[in-house]
Amino acid sequence: MDPHCREITSVILPAIRASIALKLKNEHGFTQQEIAKKLGIAQAAVNKYLKGNCSKKVSEMRTYIAKAGLSDPIVDEIANGASPEKIADSIDRLCAEKSLRAMAGAL
């Protein structure tokens, strides 16, 4: 597997999802089931993200994403009823950010 793909699937994407899930729960009152549906993932994964049950790398990346406000536009899209395709496209664009790939490689 390409190292960049590994970083995206094992660190960056889970960190993005965790950051989004936390904001949707804490700032918009979404339920775990609603978050799971919007992100296209299992409710158990949302539960894991909300409880912080993730690797140190994912946790550090999630903190960076949240502090930098990188997931805020996606959270706003979801809160404003964006389509699943729009949400997925926005997440894909964020996953492709070179700064996130560089940070994931440094963790």
Side-chain angles (χ1 to χ4, degrees):
M1 178 184 277
D2 181 326
H4 293 295
C5 290
R6 187 172 295 120
E7 290 168 354
I8 290 170
T9 59
S10 66
V11 178
I12 297 172
L13 184 56
I16 291 169
R17 287 175 172 165
S19 178
I20 292 168
L22 285 165
K23 283 188 171 275
L24 288 173
K25 176 75 173 162
N26 296 335
E27 296 177 12
H28 296 280
F30 277 57
T31 66
Q32 288 185 20
Q33 195 62 36
E34 290 169 329
I35 295 166
K37 185 174 180 182
K38 294 292 185 181
L39 294 179
I41 60 177
Q43 183 271 328
V46 174
N47 186 11
K48 177 181 170 181
Y49 294 147
L50 294 176
K51 288 185 175 184
N53 294 338
C54 51
S55 72
K56 182 180 177 186
K57 285 183 177 185
V58 171
S59 180
E60 289 176 1
M61 180 68 74
R62 181 197 69 224
T63 300
Y64 170 77
I65 290 167
K67 284 184 177 179
L70 298 176
S71 62
D72 291 353
I74 300 168
V75 171
D76 291 341
E77 288 175 359
I78 293 170
N80 291 317
S83 69
E85 295 81 17
K86 173 76 171 138
I87 296 165
D89 287 346
S90 295
I91 291 172
D92 287 348
R93 278 193 303 280
L94 185 52
C95 280
E97 284 290 320
K98 290 181 181 181
S99 63
L100 293 182
R101 290 198 321 246
M103 183 176 177
L107 294 176

